[in-house]
Amino acid sequence: MLSALAAPATQALTVNAFVVRQSCVNGDVVAVTLSATVQPNVQVKYRWDFTNNGTLDTTASTNPTVTHRYPDERRITARVVAIMANGTRASDTVTFTTRRCGGGGGGGGADD
């Protein structure tokens, strides 16, 4: 007798980008730490486009967390692309406003 067990359906890859923290550096510059998670929880490589202009700014890495410097008080959209070993891709964007760091005073530094 043959079993009628079906193979499990392949779950689509999804990625979720988010801001971890923002810290003022050098006056009007903000160091923004971005990260991402994927579902299902599988090994992927991540690439980031820090300004969502269509150019991937990082090389592929298994580490989802990156830090990039932006001007303060700007509305920014960044994009992450997650890539599985078989080439399957998923992307997500995160839009945020960089914190105010003050002008030329060396920055303060509390995280948002």
Side-chain angles (χ1 to χ4, degrees):
M1 183 170 152
L2 294 174
S3 174
L5 295 176
T10 303
Q11 185 176 357
L13 180 67
T14 59
V15 62
N16 179 48
F18 56 94
V19 175
V20 176
R21 72 179 157 271
Q22 298 187 33
S23 301
C24 294
V25 292
N26 300 329
D28 294 335
V29 177
V30 183
V32 179
T33 301
L34 304 164
S35 195
T37 58
V38 293
Q39 288 296 324
N41 188 14
V42 295
Q43 178 96 18
V44 297
K45 291 191 176 179
Y46 299 89
R47 294 195 65 193
W48 287 88
D49 174 353
F50 294 125
T51 57
N52 197 31
N53 66 358
T55 300
L56 295 171
D57 300 304
T58 64
T59 59
S61 172
T62 56
N63 183 352
T65 304
V66 294
T67 299
H68 187 70
R69 292 181 178 202
Y70 296 97
D72 73 343
E73 299 184 87
R74 301 284 172 90
R75 188 156 176 85
I76 305 289
T77 298
R79 181 171 59 100
V80 64
V81 178
I83 308 159
M84 293 176 58
N86 68 4
T88 300
R89 292 175 173 245
S91 67
D92 189 32
T93 59
V94 57
T95 300
F96 56 94
T97 301
T98 56
R99 65 179 297 150
R100 180 178 180 168
C101 292
D111 292 341
D112 271 351

PDB file of all heavy atoms in Angstrom, residues 47-87:
ATOM      1  N   ARG A  47      22.416  41.661   1.476  1.00  0.00           N
ATOM      2  CA  ARG A  47      23.050  42.815   0.827  1.00  0.00           C
ATOM      3  C   ARG A  47      22.168  44.026   1.096  1.00  0.00           C
ATOM      4  O   ARG A  47      20.943  43.918   1.069  1.00  0.00           O
ATOM      5  CB  ARG A  47      23.211  42.593  -0.676  1.00  0.00           C
ATOM      6  CG  ARG A  47      24.200  41.447  -0.952  1.00  0.00           C
ATOM      7  CD  ARG A  47      24.685  41.399  -2.348  1.00  0.00           C
ATOM      8  NE  ARG A  47      25.477  42.608  -2.658  1.00  0.00           N
ATOM      9  CZ  ARG A  47      25.819  42.945  -3.896  1.00  0.00           C
ATOM     10  NH1 ARG A  47      25.450  42.207  -4.924  1.00  0.00           N
ATOM     11  NH2 ARG A  47      26.538  44.043  -4.113  1.00  0.00           N
ATOM     12  N   TRP A  48      22.800  45.154   1.348  1.00  0.00           N
ATOM     13  CA  TRP A  48      22.082  46.378   1.701  1.00  0.00           C
ATOM     14  C   TRP A  48      22.277  47.462   0.649  1.00  0.00           C
ATOM     15  O   TRP A  48      23.368  47.635   0.112  1.00  0.00           O
ATOM     16  CB  TRP A  48      22.569  46.907   3.047  1.00  0.00           C
ATOM     17  CG  TRP A  48      22.093  46.085   4.202  1.00  0.00           C
ATOM     18  CD1 TRP A  48      22.708  44.984   4.748  1.00  0.00           C
ATOM     19  CD2 TRP A  48      20.895  46.274   4.942  1.00  0.00           C
ATOM     20  NE1 TRP A  48      21.953  44.494   5.779  1.00  0.00           N
ATOM     21  CE2 TRP A  48      20.838  45.269   5.931  1.00  0.00           C
ATOM     22  CE3 TRP A  48      19.855  47.210   4.865  1.00  0.00           C
ATOM     23  CZ2 TRP A  48      19.790  45.171   6.833  1.00  0.00           C
ATOM     24  CZ3 TRP A  48      18.814  47.111   5.773  1.00  0.00           C
ATOM     25  CH2 TRP A  48      18.783  46.095   6.740  1.00  0.00           C
ATOM     26  N   ASP A  49      21.207  48.193   0.391  1.00  0.00           N
ATOM     27  CA  ASP A  49      21.201  49.393  -0.444  1.00  0.00           C
ATOM     28  C   ASP A  49      20.826  50.518   0.522  1.00  0.00           C
ATOM     29  O   ASP A  49      19.672  50.662   0.903  1.00  0.00           O
ATOM     30  CB  ASP A  49      20.159  49.223  -1.559  1.00  0.00           C
ATOM     31  CG  ASP A  49      19.957  50.462  -2.406  1.00  0.00           C
ATOM     32  OD1 ASP A  49      20.514  51.522  -2.077  1.00  0.00           O
ATOM     33  OD2 ASP A  49      19.211  50.363  -3.397  1.00  0.00           O
ATOM     34  N   PHE A  50      21.809  51.301   0.958  1.00  0.00           N
ATOM     35  CA  PHE A  50      21.600  52.251   2.044  1.00  0.00           C
ATOM     36  C   PHE A  50      20.691  53.420   1.701  1.00  0.00           C
ATOM     37  O   PHE A  50      20.169  54.077   2.594  1.00  0.00           O
ATOM     38  CB  PHE A  50      22.946  52.782   2.545  1.00  0.00           C
ATOM     39  CG  PHE A  50      23.788  51.717   3.196  1.00  0.00           C
ATOM     40  CD1 PHE A  50      25.079  51.481   2.742  1.00  0.00           C
ATOM     41  CD2 PHE A  50      23.313  50.951   4.242  1.00  0.00           C
ATOM     42  CE1 PHE A  50      25.875  50.507   3.335  1.00  0.00           C
ATOM     43  CE2 PHE A  50      24.087  49.976   4.835  1.00  0.00           C
ATOM     44  CZ  PHE A  50      25.371  49.748   4.384  1.00  0.00           C
ATOM     45  N   THR A  51      20.472  53.697   0.419  1.00  0.00           N
ATOM     46  CA  THR A  51      19.606  54.811   0.028  1.00  0.00           C
ATOM     47  C   THR A  51      18.476  54.387  -0.901  1.00  0.00           C
ATOM     48  O   THR A  51      17.802  55.235  -1.475  1.00  0.00           O
ATOM     49  CB  THR A  51      20.439  55.924  -0.656  1.00  0.00           C
ATOM     50  OG1 THR A  51      21.112  55.350  -1.778  1.00  0.00           O
ATOM     51  CG2 THR A  51      21.438  56.543   0.312  1.00  0.00           C
ATOM     52  N   ASN A  52      18.283  53.095  -1.075  1.00  0.00           N
ATOM     53  CA  ASN A  52      17.222  52.557  -1.933  1.00  0.00           C
ATOM     54  C   ASN A  52      17.265  53.160  -3.336  1.00  0.00           C
ATOM     55  O   ASN A  52      16.239  53.457  -3.933  1.00  0.00           O
ATOM     56  CB  ASN A  52      15.850  52.755  -1.288  1.00  0.00           C
ATOM     57  CG  ASN A  52      14.794  51.872  -1.923  1.00  0.00           C
ATOM     58  OD1 ASN A  52      15.071  50.775  -2.387  1.00  0.00           O
ATOM     59  ND2 ASN A  52      13.564  52.342  -1.937  1.00  0.00           N
ATOM     60  N   ASN A  53      18.490  53.322  -3.861  1.00  0.00           N
ATOM     61  CA  ASN A  53      18.641  53.892  -5.197  1.00  0.00           C
ATOM     62  C   ASN A  53      18.866  52.819  -6.270  1.00  0.00           C
ATOM     63  O   ASN A  53      19.141  53.141  -7.417  1.00  0.00           O
ATOM     64  CB  ASN A  53      19.788  54.906  -5.223  1.00  0.00           C
ATOM     65  CG  ASN A  53      21.141  54.264  -4.976  1.00  0.00           C
ATOM     66  OD1 ASN A  53      21.253  53.060  -4.744  1.00  0.00           O
ATOM     67  ND2 ASN A  53      22.181  55.081  -4.998  1.00  0.00           N
ATOM     68  N   GLY A  54      18.777  51.550  -5.872  1.00  0.00           N
ATOM     69  CA  GLY A  54      18.931  50.463  -6.825  1.00  0.00           C
ATOM     70  C   GLY A  54      20.323  49.863  -6.862  1.00  0.00           C
ATOM     71  O   GLY A  54      20.542  48.851  -7.527  1.00  0.00           O
ATOM     72  N   THR A  55      21.268  50.468  -6.149  1.00  0.00           N
ATOM     73  CA  THR A  55      22.634  49.951  -6.097  1.00  0.00           C
ATOM     74  C   THR A  55      22.870  49.287  -4.748  1.00  0.00           C
ATOM     75  O   THR A  55      22.707  49.931  -3.706  1.00  0.00           O
ATOM     76  CB  THR A  55      23.659  51.093  -6.282  1.00  0.00           C
ATOM     77  OG1 THR A  55      23.440  51.694  -7.550  1.00  0.00           O
ATOM     78  CG2 THR A  55      25.080  50.573  -6.206  1.00  0.00           C
ATOM     79  N   LEU A  56      23.242  48.017  -4.764  1.00  0.00           N
ATOM     80  CA  LEU A  56      23.545  47.321  -3.512  1.00  0.00           C
ATOM     81  C   LEU A  56      24.926  47.766  -3.050  1.00  0.00           C
ATOM     82  O   LEU A  56      25.912  47.616  -3.757  1.00  0.00           O
ATOM     83  CB  LEU A  56      23.461  45.810  -3.717  1.00  0.00           C
ATOM     84  CG  LEU A  56      22.048  45.317  -4.053  1.00  0.00           C
ATOM     85  CD1 LEU A  56      22.059  43.857  -4.457  1.00  0.00           C
ATOM     86  CD2 LEU A  56      21.113  45.544  -2.864  1.00  0.00           C
ATOM     87  N   ASP A  57      24.983  48.334  -1.847  1.00  0.00           N
ATOM     88  CA  ASP A  57      26.193  48.966  -1.342  1.00  0.00           C
ATOM     89  C   ASP A  57      27.112  48.035  -0.573  1.00  0.00           C
ATOM     90  O   ASP A  57      28.250  48.409  -0.277  1.00  0.00           O
ATOM     91  CB  ASP A  57      25.806  50.145  -0.433  1.00  0.00           C
ATOM     92  CG  ASP A  57      24.993  51.183  -1.177  1.00  0.00           C
ATOM     93  OD1 ASP A  57      25.480  51.671  -2.209  1.00  0.00           O
ATOM     94  OD2 ASP A  57      23.874  51.494  -0.725  1.00  0.00           O
ATOM     95  N   THR A  58      26.643  46.847  -0.215  1.00  0.00           N
ATOM     96  CA  THR A  58      27.467  45.914   0.546  1.00  0.00           C
ATOM     97  C   THR A  58      27.673  44.629  -0.246  1.00  0.00           C
ATOM     98  O   THR A  58      26.872  44.295  -1.122  1.00  0.00           O
ATOM     99  CB  THR A  58      26.821  45.553   1.896  1.00  0.00           C
ATOM    100  OG1 THR A  58      25.586  44.868   1.658  1.00  0.00           O
ATOM    101  CG2 THR A  58      26.565  46.794   2.749  1.00  0.00           C
ATOM    102  N   THR A  59      28.728  43.914   0.096  1.00  0.00           N
ATOM    103  CA  THR A  59      28.919  42.582  -0.452  1.00  0.00           C
ATOM    104  C   THR A  59      28.020  41.622   0.319  1.00  0.00           C
ATOM    105  O   THR A  59      27.551  41.938   1.418  1.00  0.00           O
ATOM    106  CB  THR A  59      30.391  42.135  -0.332  1.00  0.00           C
ATOM    107  OG1 THR A  59      30.757  42.152   1.052  1.00  0.00           O
ATOM    108  CG2 THR A  59      31.315  43.044  -1.122  1.00  0.00           C
ATOM    109  N   ALA A  60      27.787  40.455  -0.229  1.00  0.00           N
ATOM    110  CA  ALA A  60      26.926  39.468   0.430  1.00  0.00           C
ATOM    111  C   ALA A  60      27.572  38.992   1.727  1.00  0.00           C
ATOM    112  O   ALA A  60      28.766  38.700   1.765  1.00  0.00           O
ATOM    113  CB  ALA A  60      26.676  38.294  -0.504  1.00  0.00           C
ATOM    114  N   SER A  61      26.778  38.938   2.783  1.00  0.00           N
ATOM    115  CA  SER A  61      27.273  38.536   4.096  1.00  0.00           C
ATOM    116  C   SER A  61      26.186  37.758   4.833  1.00  0.00           C
ATOM    117  O   SER A  61      25.006  38.061   4.697  1.00  0.00           O
ATOM    118  CB  SER A  61      27.652  39.767   4.920  1.00  0.00           C
ATOM    119  OG  SER A  61      27.958  39.410   6.263  1.00  0.00           O
ATOM    120  N   THR A  62      26.604  36.796   5.649  1.00  0.00           N
ATOM    121  CA  THR A  62      25.638  36.067   6.472  1.00  0.00           C
ATOM    122  C   THR A  62      25.225  36.881   7.698  1.00  0.00           C
ATOM    123  O   THR A  62      24.264  36.516   8.377  1.00  0.00           O
ATOM    124  CB  THR A  62      26.208  34.708   6.919  1.00  0.00           C
ATOM    125  OG1 THR A  62      27.438  34.933   7.610  1.00  0.00           O
ATOM    126  CG2 THR A  62      26.431  33.780   5.738  1.00  0.00           C
ATOM    127  N   ASN A  63      25.923  37.978   7.972  1.00  0.00           N
ATOM    128  CA  ASN A  63      25.571  38.850   9.090  1.00  0.00           C
ATOM    129  C   ASN A  63      24.522  39.854   8.621  1.00  0.00           C
ATOM    130  O   ASN A  63      24.795  40.665   7.736  1.00  0.00           O
ATOM    131  CB  ASN A  63      26.815  39.583   9.591  1.00  0.00           C
ATOM    132  CG  ASN A  63      26.527  40.442  10.807  1.00  0.00           C
ATOM    133  OD1 ASN A  63      25.386  40.617  11.212  1.00  0.00           O
ATOM    134  ND2 ASN A  63      27.578  40.986  11.387  1.00  0.00           N
ATOM    135  N   PRO A  64      23.331  39.841   9.221  1.00  0.00           N
ATOM    136  CA  PRO A  64      22.271  40.741   8.757  1.00  0.00           C
ATOM    137  C   PRO A  64      22.434  42.181   9.242  1.00  0.00           C
ATOM    138  O   PRO A  64      21.730  43.067   8.777  1.00  0.00           O
ATOM    139  CB  PRO A  64      21.014  40.121   9.363  1.00  0.00           C
ATOM    140  CG  PRO A  64      21.491  39.490  10.626  1.00  0.00           C
ATOM    141  CD  PRO A  64      22.870  38.951  10.285  1.00  0.00           C
ATOM    142  N   THR A  65      23.348  42.438  10.160  1.00  0.00           N
ATOM    143  CA  THR A  65      23.463  43.745  10.801  1.00  0.00           C
ATOM    144  C   THR A  65      24.592  44.567  10.190  1.00  0.00           C
ATOM    145  O   THR A  65      25.707  44.075  10.030  1.00  0.00           O
ATOM    146  CB  THR A  65      23.679  43.575  12.315  1.00  0.00           C
ATOM    147  OG1 THR A  65      22.594  42.793  12.837  1.00  0.00           O
ATOM    148  CG2 THR A  65      23.711  44.911  13.030  1.00  0.00           C
ATOM    149  N   VAL A  66      24.275  45.814   9.849  1.00  0.00           N
ATOM    150  CA  VAL A  66      25.246  46.749   9.273  1.00  0.00           C
ATOM    151  C   VAL A  66      25.066  48.114   9.934  1.00  0.00           C
ATOM    152  O   VAL A  66      24.005  48.408  10.486  1.00  0.00           O
ATOM    153  CB  VAL A  66      25.076  46.897   7.749  1.00  0.00           C
ATOM    154  CG1 VAL A  66      25.394  45.604   7.023  1.00  0.00           C
ATOM    155  CG2 VAL A  66      23.679  47.387   7.393  1.00  0.00           C
ATOM    156  N   THR A  67      26.098  48.932   9.858  1.00  0.00           N
ATOM    157  CA  THR A  67      26.011  50.317  10.322  1.00  0.00           C
ATOM    158  C   THR A  67      26.441  51.221   9.183  1.00  0.00           C
ATOM    159  O   THR A  67      27.438  50.958   8.511  1.00  0.00           O
ATOM    160  CB  THR A  67      26.892  50.538  11.567  1.00  0.00           C
ATOM    161  OG1 THR A  67      26.435  49.679  12.620  1.00  0.00           O
ATOM    162  CG2 THR A  67      26.810  51.991  12.043  1.00  0.00           C
ATOM    163  N   HIS A  68      25.665  52.279   8.969  1.00  0.00           N
ATOM    164  CA  HIS A  68      25.967  53.242   7.908  1.00  0.00           C
ATOM    165  C   HIS A  68      25.768  54.638   8.469  1.00  0.00           C
ATOM    166  O   HIS A  68      24.914  54.859   9.332  1.00  0.00           O
ATOM    167  CB  HIS A  68      25.042  53.016   6.708  1.00  0.00           C
ATOM    168  CG  HIS A  68      25.386  53.846   5.534  1.00  0.00           C
ATOM    169  ND1 HIS A  68      26.522  53.635   4.779  1.00  0.00           N
ATOM    170  CD2 HIS A  68      24.758  54.922   4.985  1.00  0.00           C
ATOM    171  CE1 HIS A  68      26.568  54.531   3.800  1.00  0.00           C
ATOM    172  NE2 HIS A  68      25.508  55.313   3.904  1.00  0.00           N
ATOM    173  N   ARG A  69      26.547  55.592   7.975  1.00  0.00           N
ATOM    174  CA  ARG A  69      26.444  56.982   8.424  1.00  0.00           C
ATOM    175  C   ARG A  69      25.601  57.799   7.447  1.00  0.00           C
ATOM    176  O   ARG A  69      25.791  57.711   6.239  1.00  0.00           O
ATOM    177  CB  ARG A  69      27.826  57.598   8.570  1.00  0.00           C
ATOM    178  CG  ARG A  69      28.591  56.967   9.705  1.00  0.00           C
ATOM    179  CD  ARG A  69      29.945  57.581   9.881  1.00  0.00           C
ATOM    180  NE  ARG A  69      30.606  56.961  11.026  1.00  0.00           N
ATOM    181  CZ  ARG A  69      31.584  57.506  11.697  1.00  0.00           C
ATOM    182  NH1 ARG A  69      32.060  58.692  11.341  1.00  0.00           N
ATOM    183  NH2 ARG A  69      32.118  56.871  12.725  1.00  0.00           N
ATOM    184  N   TYR A  70      24.683  58.576   8.039  1.00  0.00           N
ATOM    185  CA  TYR A  70      23.785  59.448   7.280  1.00  0.00           C
ATOM    186  C   TYR A  70      23.828  60.853   7.889  1.00  0.00           C
ATOM    187  O   TYR A  70      24.136  61.001   9.074  1.00  0.00           O
ATOM    188  CB  TYR A  70      22.333  58.959   7.397  1.00  0.00           C
ATOM    189  CG  TYR A  70      22.040  57.606   6.807  1.00  0.00           C
ATOM    190  CD1 TYR A  70      22.014  56.474   7.596  1.00  0.00           C
ATOM    191  CD2 TYR A  70      21.748  57.473   5.453  1.00  0.00           C
ATOM    192  CE1 TYR A  70      21.711  55.226   7.060  1.00  0.00           C
ATOM    193  CE2 TYR A  70      21.431  56.231   4.907  1.00  0.00           C
ATOM    194  CZ  TYR A  70      21.423  55.120   5.720  1.00  0.00           C
ATOM    195  OH  TYR A  70      21.118  53.893   5.188  1.00  0.00           O
ATOM    196  N   PRO A  71      23.436  61.880   7.119  1.00  0.00           N
ATOM    197  CA  PRO A  71      23.264  63.212   7.702  1.00  0.00           C
ATOM    198  C   PRO A  71      22.114  63.171   8.713  1.00  0.00           C
ATOM    199  O   PRO A  71      21.184  62.371   8.575  1.00  0.00           O
ATOM    200  CB  PRO A  71      22.891  64.101   6.511  1.00  0.00           C
ATOM    201  CG  PRO A  71      23.262  63.314   5.299  1.00  0.00           C
ATOM    202  CD  PRO A  71      23.199  61.869   5.674  1.00  0.00           C
ATOM    203  N   ASP A  72      22.175  64.058   9.717  1.00  0.00           N
ATOM    204  CA  ASP A  72      21.078  64.078  10.696  1.00  0.00           C
ATOM    205  C   ASP A  72      19.838  64.736  10.100  1.00  0.00           C
ATOM    206  O   ASP A  72      19.896  65.427   9.088  1.00  0.00           O
ATOM    207  CB  ASP A  72      21.509  64.732  12.013  1.00  0.00           C
ATOM    208  CG  ASP A  72      21.671  66.244  11.949  1.00  0.00           C
ATOM    209  OD1 ASP A  72      21.779  66.804  10.843  1.00  0.00           O
ATOM    210  OD2 ASP A  72      21.721  66.868  13.027  1.00  0.00           O
ATOM    211  N   GLU A  73      18.714  64.451  10.730  1.00  0.00           N
ATOM    212  CA  GLU A  73      17.400  65.003  10.390  1.00  0.00           C
ATOM    213  C   GLU A  73      17.013  64.799   8.924  1.00  0.00           C
ATOM    214  O   GLU A  73      16.505  65.698   8.264  1.00  0.00           O
ATOM    215  CB  GLU A  73      17.338  66.492  10.750  1.00  0.00           C
ATOM    216  CG  GLU A  73      17.543  66.739  12.232  1.00  0.00           C
ATOM    217  CD  GLU A  73      17.377  68.189  12.601  1.00  0.00           C
ATOM    218  OE1 GLU A  73      16.221  68.584  12.864  1.00  0.00           O
ATOM    219  OE2 GLU A  73      18.393  68.920  12.604  1.00  0.00           O
ATOM    220  N   ARG A  74      17.244  63.610   8.420  1.00  0.00           N
ATOM    221  CA  ARG A  74      16.876  63.265   7.040  1.00  0.00           C
ATOM    222  C   ARG A  74      15.944  62.062   7.050  1.00  0.00           C
ATOM    223  O   ARG A  74      16.099  61.147   7.852  1.00  0.00           O
ATOM    224  CB  ARG A  74      18.106  62.903   6.213  1.00  0.00           C
ATOM    225  CG  ARG A  74      19.136  63.982   6.108  1.00  0.00           C
ATOM    226  CD  ARG A  74      18.722  65.086   5.133  1.00  0.00           C
ATOM    227  NE  ARG A  74      19.621  66.209   5.166  1.00  0.00           N
ATOM    228  CZ  ARG A  74      20.691  66.350   4.414  1.00  0.00           C
ATOM    229  NH1 ARG A  74      20.994  65.425   3.539  1.00  0.00           N
ATOM    230  NH2 ARG A  74      21.452  67.410   4.522  1.00  0.00           N
ATOM    231  N   ARG A  75      15.019  62.054   6.116  1.00  0.00           N
ATOM    232  CA  ARG A  75      14.140  60.887   5.927  1.00  0.00           C
ATOM    233  C   ARG A  75      14.849  59.966   4.938  1.00  0.00           C
ATOM    234  O   ARG A  75      15.176  60.365   3.826  1.00  0.00           O
ATOM    235  CB  ARG A  75      12.782  61.314   5.407  1.00  0.00           C
ATOM    236  CG  ARG A  75      11.789  60.177   5.369  1.00  0.00           C
ATOM    237  CD  ARG A  75      10.373  60.739   5.440  1.00  0.00           C
ATOM    238  NE  ARG A  75       9.384  59.703   5.323  1.00  0.00           N
ATOM    239  CZ  ARG A  75       8.940  58.969   6.338  1.00  0.00           C
ATOM    240  NH1 ARG A  75       9.425  59.164   7.543  1.00  0.00           N
ATOM    241  NH2 ARG A  75       8.015  58.050   6.157  1.00  0.00           N
ATOM    242  N   ILE A  76      15.083  58.738   5.359  1.00  0.00           N
ATOM    243  CA  ILE A  76      15.883  57.776   4.607  1.00  0.00           C
ATOM    244  C   ILE A  76      15.065  56.501   4.394  1.00  0.00           C
ATOM    245  O   ILE A  76      14.339  56.066   5.285  1.00  0.00           O
ATOM    246  CB  ILE A  76      17.168  57.389   5.384  1.00  0.00           C
ATOM    247  CG1 ILE A  76      17.984  58.629   5.756  1.00  0.00           C
ATOM    248  CG2 ILE A  76      17.974  56.348   4.637  1.00  0.00           C
ATOM    249  CD1 ILE A  76      18.664  59.306   4.606  1.00  0.00           C
ATOM    250  N   THR A  77      15.220  55.900   3.220  1.00  0.00           N
ATOM    251  CA  THR A  77      14.715  54.548   2.984  1.00  0.00           C
ATOM    252  C   THR A  77      15.905  53.688   2.600  1.00  0.00           C
ATOM    253  O   THR A  77      16.654  54.030   1.690  1.00  0.00           O
ATOM    254  CB  THR A  77      13.657  54.518   1.872  1.00  0.00           C
ATOM    255  OG1 THR A  77      12.541  55.326   2.272  1.00  0.00           O
ATOM    256  CG2 THR A  77      13.175  53.091   1.608  1.00  0.00           C
ATOM    257  N   ALA A  78      16.096  52.596   3.330  1.00  0.00           N
ATOM    258  CA  ALA A  78      17.152  51.628   3.029  1.00  0.00           C
ATOM    259  C   ALA A  78      16.482  50.316   2.632  1.00  0.00           C
ATOM    260  O   ALA A  78      15.355  50.027   3.051  1.00  0.00           O
ATOM    261  CB  ALA A  78      18.051  51.418   4.241  1.00  0.00           C
ATOM    262  N   ARG A  79      17.183  49.534   1.825  1.00  0.00           N
ATOM    263  CA  ARG A  79      16.627  48.260   1.357  1.00  0.00           C
ATOM    264  C   ARG A  79      17.615  47.143   1.645  1.00  0.00           C
ATOM    265  O   ARG A  79      18.824  47.298   1.482  1.00  0.00           O
ATOM    266  CB  ARG A  79      16.355  48.329  -0.150  1.00  0.00           C
ATOM    267  CG  ARG A  79      15.762  47.046  -0.729  1.00  0.00           C
ATOM    268  CD  ARG A  79      15.318  47.246  -2.174  1.00  0.00           C
ATOM    269  NE  ARG A  79      16.395  47.661  -3.046  1.00  0.00           N
ATOM    270  CZ  ARG A  79      17.055  46.835  -3.868  1.00  0.00           C
ATOM    271  NH1 ARG A  79      16.736  45.563  -3.936  1.00  0.00           N
ATOM    272  NH2 ARG A  79      18.015  47.298  -4.631  1.00  0.00           N
ATOM    273  N   VAL A  80      17.080  46.003   2.056  1.00  0.00           N
ATOM    274  CA  VAL A  80      17.886  44.803   2.245  1.00  0.00           C
ATOM    275  C   VAL A  80      17.392  43.732   1.281  1.00  0.00           C
ATOM    276  O   VAL A  80      16.192  43.640   1.001  1.00  0.00           O
ATOM    277  CB  VAL A  80      17.830  44.280   3.697  1.00  0.00           C
ATOM    278  CG1 VAL A  80      16.424  43.820   4.090  1.00  0.00           C
ATOM    279  CG2 VAL A  80      18.837  43.164   3.921  1.00  0.00           C
ATOM    280  N   VAL A  81      18.328  42.957   0.757  1.00  0.00           N
ATOM    281  CA  VAL A  81      18.007  41.809  -0.084  1.00  0.00           C
ATOM    282  C   VAL A  81      18.583  40.578   0.613  1.00  0.00           C
ATOM    283  O   VAL A  81      19.769  40.565   0.976  1.00  0.00           O
ATOM    284  CB  VAL A  81      18.607  41.941  -1.497  1.00  0.00           C
ATOM    285  CG1 VAL A  81      18.305  40.708  -2.331  1.00  0.00           C
ATOM    286  CG2 VAL A  81      18.080  43.189  -2.180  1.00  0.00           C
ATOM    287  N   ALA A  82      17.757  39.572   0.825  1.00  0.00           N
ATOM    288  CA  ALA A  82      18.197  38.287   1.388  1.00  0.00           C
ATOM    289  C   ALA A  82      18.257  37.284   0.243  1.00  0.00           C
ATOM    290  O   ALA A  82      17.321  37.204  -0.559  1.00  0.00           O
ATOM    291  CB  ALA A  82      17.224  37.813   2.466  1.00  0.00           C
ATOM    292  N   ILE A  83      19.355  36.528   0.185  1.00  0.00           N
ATOM    293  CA  ILE A  83      19.566  35.602  -0.929  1.00  0.00           C
ATOM    294  C   ILE A  83      19.877  34.216  -0.373  1.00  0.00           C
ATOM    295  O   ILE A  83      20.848  34.042   0.373  1.00  0.00           O
ATOM    296  CB  ILE A  83      20.740  36.071  -1.815  1.00  0.00           C
ATOM    297  CG1 ILE A  83      20.538  37.533  -2.219  1.00  0.00           C
ATOM    298  CG2 ILE A  83      20.886  35.176  -3.033  1.00  0.00           C
ATOM    299  CD1 ILE A  83      21.807  38.241  -2.634  1.00  0.00           C
ATOM    300  N   MET A  84      19.054  33.239  -0.747  1.00  0.00           N
ATOM    301  CA  MET A  84      19.293  31.851  -0.349  1.00  0.00           C
ATOM    302  C   MET A  84      20.341  31.232  -1.275  1.00  0.00           C
ATOM    303  O   MET A  84      20.606  31.747  -2.369  1.00  0.00           O
ATOM    304  CB  MET A  84      17.996  31.041  -0.416  1.00  0.00           C
ATOM    305  CG  MET A  84      16.971  31.462   0.615  1.00  0.00           C
ATOM    306  SD  MET A  84      15.394  30.574   0.466  1.00  0.00           S
ATOM    307  CE  MET A  84      15.903  28.885   0.628  1.00  0.00           C
ATOM    308  N   ALA A  85      20.913  30.108  -0.863  1.00  0.00           N
ATOM    309  CA  ALA A  85      21.936  29.416  -1.657  1.00  0.00           C
ATOM    310  C   ALA A  85      21.408  29.021  -3.035  1.00  0.00           C
ATOM    311  O   ALA A  85      22.162  29.001  -4.008  1.00  0.00           O
ATOM    312  CB  ALA A  85      22.447  28.192  -0.905  1.00  0.00           C
ATOM    313  N   ASN A  86      20.107  28.738  -3.148  1.00  0.00           N
ATOM    314  CA  ASN A  86      19.533  28.336  -4.440  1.00  0.00           C
ATOM    315  C   ASN A  86      19.177  29.527  -5.323  1.00  0.00           C
ATOM    316  O   ASN A  86      18.614  29.363  -6.400  1.00  0.00           O
ATOM    317  CB  ASN A  86      18.310  27.439  -4.232  1.00  0.00           C
ATOM    318  CG  ASN A  86      17.124  28.173  -3.625  1.00  0.00           C
ATOM    319  OD1 ASN A  86      17.158  29.383  -3.419  1.00  0.00           O
ATOM    320  ND2 ASN A  86      16.070  27.442  -3.316  1.00  0.00           N
ATOM    321  N   GLY A  87      19.487  30.753  -4.860  1.00  0.00           N
ATOM    322  CA  GLY A  87      19.228  31.950  -5.650  1.00  0.00           C
ATOM    323  C   GLY A  87      17.916  32.652  -5.340  1.00  0.00           C
ATOM    324  O   GLY A  87      17.673  33.754  -5.825  1.00  0.00           O
TER     325      GLY A  87
END
